[in-house]
Amino acid sequence: MKTLNTIPLPNAPLLAAALGAWEWLQNDGTWPPLRSALIRFWVETRLFRVSVPLTGPRSLSPEAPIEKYAWLTAFLEALASEALDYHQLLLDLKREWLSARGRVAGRRRNLRAAIAIDVIASAPLLSARTLAKALSMSIRSAIDLLDEFVRDGLVVDSIL
């Protein structure tokens, strides 16, 4: 069986991935390894610079077509829909980041607040310890800063 890397379409990574996924699924391949292979494939073909979980799971629904070319179309449409969703998420994150940065601008009490917002925007799930290290401050100061951000509605405190 061919892997995603051996499909002879080096200039068409989306179509190569669709064909590879089709072959994998037709040969009784399971979804989890295919999902991982797709994510790796996007980086290896330089479609993305980082791992992006763009995998088109809607093409595996019971309503998805079973005929090859109809399924390929459904897969590519599912990828496009997912990409639009991720794009909207990035726009929302950027809007919230800029809004938060504007709300902390000019604070005299803590001059590192704007930098902290940048750090949080680049790593939305972080600990006070991680923030303290990134800002070269004590953990206590990072906790105080995060508590202030929570009170101001700039971040959400969540223990997973």
Side-chain angles (χ1 to χ4, degrees):
M1 175 179 39
K2 292 182 178 181
T3 66
L4 292 177
N5 287 331
T6 61
I7 303 296
L9 293 167
N11 296 321
L14 293 173
L15 187 54
L19 289 167
W22 170 259
E23 283 187 24
W24 173 260
L25 294 170
Q26 291 307 300
N27 289 300
D28 296 322
T30 59
W31 179 241
L34 175 59
R35 185 177 190 281
S36 296
L38 286 167
I39 294 167
R40 213 172 27 256
F41 184 70
W42 304 138
V43 175
E44 290 170 1
T45 59
R46 297 189 177 146
L47 188 64
F48 299 115
R49 286 184 272 176
V50 296
S51 296
V52 176
L54 191 64
T55 59
R58 284 183 229 154
S59 63
L60 299 176
S61 72
E63 298 82 35
I66 54 174
E67 189 273 321
K68 180 178 183 176
Y69 294 104
W71 185 86
L72 292 174
T73 301
F75 176 77
L76 293 171
E77 287 173 349
L79 288 179
S81 177
E82 258 185 293
L84 288 173
D85 291 345
Y86 281 123
H87 184 253
Q88 186 59 53
L89 177 62
L90 286 173
L91 292 175
D92 293 346
L93 286 170
K94 180 180 178 183
R95 184 184 66 249
E96 292 298 325
W97 167 52
L98 293 174
S99 171
R101 217 159 186 283
R103 290 174 59 190
V104 301
R107 288 188 181 192
R108 282 271 187 225
R109 214 174 90 211
N110 193 328
L111 300 175
R112 294 182 184 165
I115 298 169
I117 293 295
D118 293 347
V119 171
I120 294 167
S122 68
L125 300 173
L126 58 70
S127 66
R129 176 174 288 165
T130 303
L131 183 61
K133 185 176 180 181
L135 299 177
S136 299
M137 62 177 15
S138 71
I139 294 173
R140 179 75 248 158
S141 294
I143 290 170
D144 291 344
L145 188 57
L146 287 170
D147 286 344
E148 184 179 329
F149 288 170
V150 169
R151 278 191 308 276
D152 292 347
L154 300 174
V155 300
V156 176
D157 184 11
S158 177
I159 297 175
L160 300 176

